[in-house]
Amino acid sequence: MGQGHTRSHQGNGTAGNGTDSSSHSLSYSHSKRNSACLMKLFQKLELTADEDNCHPGELTRVTFENAFHGPLDKFGKLLYLQMTQNHGNHTRERITKEQFVKSGKEIIKMFDEAVQLKYYFHLFSAGKDHMNKEDALQMINVAYALTLSASSIPFTKTSNDDKVFSAMVQSMFGMNEKLMFDDFKQWTHRHSPHIFFGVHNWVYTIMTGSKMPEEQDVHAPVPLLEKFVEGKYCMCMGMLWALSTVLPPSYTHTDSKEEGSEHPSTSTKNPLLTSYMIIMKLARLSKCQSWALLYDSAEHGLSQNRFSHHVMSYQGPTMTLVSFEGRNVYCIAEDQPWRSGAQKFGDVDTMLIQLTPVYRVIQSGGPLVQWNEHSRDMKKGIHVGKDPKSLVLFIPADFDKVEHYHIPCEIHKLEVWGCGSEKARDAQIQQKKWENKDAEKQKTRKLRLDTNWDENPDKQILQWGGINVDHQHSRDGGF
């Protein structure tokens, strides 16, 4: 395609040729730099070889795979297989420097989302035309680990994370035992479009020694949770990662002004990939918008008043988790501030996502949520769903249950995370301080009968209302 484009401009004048020449020169410069980076990486991997690696200019399968540790052990095996398959190395016991560089350059230039999707599907299916459930679960675990690394978050995994990953596999396969690429492509488009962004960002960083060009960086960062303690909340890291693969940037945006200049060094003397900790240090250190806990029913109390107190006045997008019987956890991603009234709220980035026991995007785009506190024309409480006749969730004003498609269920927990900037959180805190101060002021305000009651304007107001205020204690000047 690039060469055809060049030929079509030949003979169009000096400006056209100059532009063509400049573009070609830039492309050649990038290709040359990538080749140099890959050769340097190959040489550093050679330093980790054992005595069995006795062929100069080649890496054994064992040497290559041993560079990947911990949760990346399987990924190293799959990546080696993918890189050697592309060049007809049927023995697959060694890879030459030329093969390594050629395969690496093919990976580095994969900026198109569709190309990435097909490449990594083929990688995680070990070259087959389909995935089985074991392949898919391995893919999700590796994608999770690499995305955390690319977001500079230490790797952790608990049983709650495993439940989310199993829910994603269940969503992909349904009743089937095999997953073809076209079905996988359709599933990711709807439920997890960024599933490989963290994977590719990590691979690019390792192979080039630098972060991806800004214009090509489609990395989906995992948000940081303020004061997060694993196991304390309904939210877990697995949920957080799953959400990062589907949420719009408005929930996870990075403030470029706050980003530091910290990035992986290309001149490190340590061999690349010799341990998982080194991999994490070399990975791109993305900075992402932090999420602040606004409301936790376990701590603040499960009631509409407490919910309102902690959530109202927050002028930013929010993530609300609703946990109820049947192992159900739903996420209400709201791109507009919570408000009560007769109208639904939510804009184009609003989403309703089921996280467990089956992971899926239920509805997207707003308005999606209505919070009725006062109107008698409809049930009081929180209504979630586009069709009022077929609500997905309804939480009554008493907060004593959840109606799931009109079926009453026992509610377990509610959490709300603020996804806006620090300014949004600070503004809410200041607003709450003002409200508390005003409430105290109103509480202490009373009629001071020790003042000149005849001159008090409250006396005339009460008299206008037909109330006799000339009591004996008033006339006597006290009680």
Side-chain angles (χ1 to χ4, degrees):
M1 178 182 287
Q3 292 178 349
H5 178 75
T6 302
R7 286 195 298 268
S8 67
H9 283 79
Q10 288 179 351
N12 287 341
T14 305
N17 290 336
T19 303
D20 238 10
S21 175
S22 174
S23 176
H24 178 75
S25 175
L26 183 61
S27 176
Y28 175 77
S29 175
H30 285 167
S31 178
K32 189 174 180 180
R33 178 188 175 278
N34 290 339
S35 295
C37 291
L38 288 164
M39 284 190 285
K40 184 181 293 186
L41 174 59
F42 185 91
Q43 292 167 358
K44 290 181 177 180
L45 285 170
E46 280 187 308
L47 296 176
T48 70
D50 54 27
E51 62 274 8
D52 294 332
N53 196 58
C54 53
H55 294 79
E58 295 183 351
L59 289 178
T60 66
R61 176 204 287 262
V62 173
T63 298
F64 186 98
E65 293 177 354
N66 283 346
F68 296 81
H69 291 260
L72 303 185
D73 177 66
K74 181 66 174 179
F75 181 67
K77 294 178 171 60
L78 293 172
L79 183 60
Y80 178 87
L81 183 64
Q82 183 83 335
M83 293 180 77
T84 55
Q85 271 187 339
N86 289 345
H87 299 283
N89 188 341
H90 299 294
T91 62
R92 301 195 185 99
E93 292 306 318
R94 289 191 300 274
I95 184 171
T96 66
K97 181 188 295 185
E98 291 74 22
Q99 288 174 330
F100 182 87
V101 171
K102 186 174 182 179
S103 293
K105 289 174 70 174
E106 290 175 356
I107 297 173
I108 290 171
K109 68 182 182 182
M110 288 193 311
F111 292 124
D112 183 74
E113 178 185 350
V115 175
Q116 290 178 20
L117 193 69
K118 192 168 186 177
Y119 180 88
Y120 288 112
F121 177 88
H122 190 263
L123 183 150
F124 286 108
S125 64
K128 304 188 298 293
D129 64 350
H130 67 276
M131 278 189 189
N132 56 41
K133 292 182 179 180
E134 184 180 352
D135 296 331
L137 187 58
Q138 183 66 55
M139 172 190 70
I140 291 171
N141 275 280
V142 170
Y144 168 71
L146 293 184
T147 306
L148 288 189
S149 180
S151 297
S152 191
I153 298 175
F155 176 81
T156 60
K157 193 159 77 73
T158 67
S159 59
N160 288 332
D161 302 317
D162 288 329
K163 291 176 183 176
V164 176
F165 300 159
S166 295
M168 295 180 78
V169 173
Q170 177 63 33
S171 178
M172 289 181 196
F173 284 80
M175 300 298 293
N176 301 318
E177 294 298 322
K178 293 182 179 181
L179 182 67
M180 307 302 291
F181 174 71
D182 287 342
D183 295 327
F184 177 71
K185 180 179 178 181
Q186 186 176 358
W187 181 86
T188 56
H189 178 74
R190 170 68 176 168
H191 304 289
S192 190
H194 312 320
I195 192 168
F196 291 141
F197 284 3
V199 174
H200 190 65
N201 191 288
W202 185 91
V203 172
Y204 182 97
T205 300
I206 291 299
M207 289 189 168
T208 65
S210 61
K211 64 182 181 181
M212 194 174 290
E214 184 176 351
E215 66 275 11
Q216 301 292 349
D217 186 4
V218 289
H219 174 55
V222 177
L224 301 176
L225 300 182
E226 294 181 4
K227 302 177 181 178
F228 178 74
V229 177
E230 188 69 65
K232 181 179 179 180
Y233 304 106
C234 183
M235 181 74 78
C236 65
M237 290 305 300
M239 287 182 187
L240 201 58
W241 168 75
L243 290 171
S244 76
T245 70
V246 69
L247 289 174
S250 55
Y251 298 94
T252 60
H253 70 279
T254 303
D255 188 349
S256 59
K257 294 181 180 180
E258 295 180 0
E259 285 190 3
S261 59
E262 185 179 15
H263 57 80
S265 172
T266 57
S267 60
T268 178
K269 297 181 181 179
N270 295 327
L272 286 175
L273 309 178
T274 55
S275 73
Y276 183 61
M277 291 307 297
I278 291 179
I279 290 173
M280 290 191 62
K281 289 179 181 179
L282 289 172
R284 180 176 184 269
L285 302 179
S286 300
K287 289 192 175 182
C288 177
Q289 181 64 54
S290 296
W291 290 359
L293 182 65
L294 303 181
Y295 170 74
D296 175 12
S297 62
E299 178 181 351
H300 301 131
L302 187 59
S303 75
Q304 182 172 254
N305 286 339
R306 302 308 297 159
F307 178 87
S308 176
H309 174 77
H310 289 279
V311 174
M312 293 292 277
S313 304
Y314 183 80
Q315 301 300 311
T318 55
M319 202 68 49
T320 302
L321 296 182
V322 187
S323 173
F324 55 96
E325 68 174 286
R327 298 184 293 118
N328 282 287
V329 178
Y330 273 79
C331 171
I332 306 168
E334 254 300 342
D335 59 0
Q336 292 185 342
W338 277 85
R339 63 174 183 265
S340 63
Q343 299 296 322
K344 288 184 179 181
F345 59 96
D347 210 333
V348 292
D349 285 347
T350 298
M351 304 181 82
L352 176 61
I353 305 166
Q354 184 178 15
L355 293 167
T356 61
V358 178
Y359 168 86
R360 53 185 175 167
V361 176
I362 304 294
Q363 295 178 1
S364 59
L368 187 64
V369 179
Q370 182 177 0
W371 183 8
N372 177 37
E373 287 188 282
H374 306 292
S375 175
R376 296 180 180 180
D377 295 335
M378 62 184 305
K379 292 194 297 184
K380 294 181 181 179
I382 298 174
H383 305 245
V384 184
K386 292 189 174 183
D387 184 359
K389 296 180 180 178
S390 181
L391 290 176
V392 181
L393 300 175
F394 173 67
I395 304 174
D398 292 337
F399 274 40
D400 57 344
K401 61 184 176 181
V402 175
E403 292 184 13
H404 185 215
Y405 292 104
H406 303 292
I407 299 176
C409 300
E410 179 186 356
I411 189 170
H412 294 161
K413 199 173 185 184
L414 274 176
E415 280 179 14
V416 183
W417 296 84
C419 310
S421 65
E422 290 186 9
K423 290 182 179 179
R425 180 59 171 154
D426 291 341
Q428 186 201 30
I429 292 173
Q430 293 303 316
Q431 175 68 17
K432 291 301 178 185
K433 286 182 178 179
W434 180 87
E435 291 175 1
N436 292 336
K437 186 177 180 180
D438 187 64
E440 288 297 321
K441 183 178 179 180
Q442 295 299 326
K443 187 185 299 183
T444 57
R445 184 175 181 270
K446 60 181 180 179
L447 293 176
R448 296 185 58 83
L449 299 180
D450 56 343
T451 61
N452 189 341
W453 176 239
D454 290 330
E455 297 177 2
N456 195 312
D458 289 336
K459 176 181 177 181
Q460 187 173 9
I461 293 173
L462 292 171
Q463 287 175 331
W464 286 345
I467 300 174
N468 180 16
V469 295
D470 290 324
H471 299 297
Q472 181 64 38
H473 69 267
S474 172
R475 290 192 297 270
D476 293 343
F479 290 100

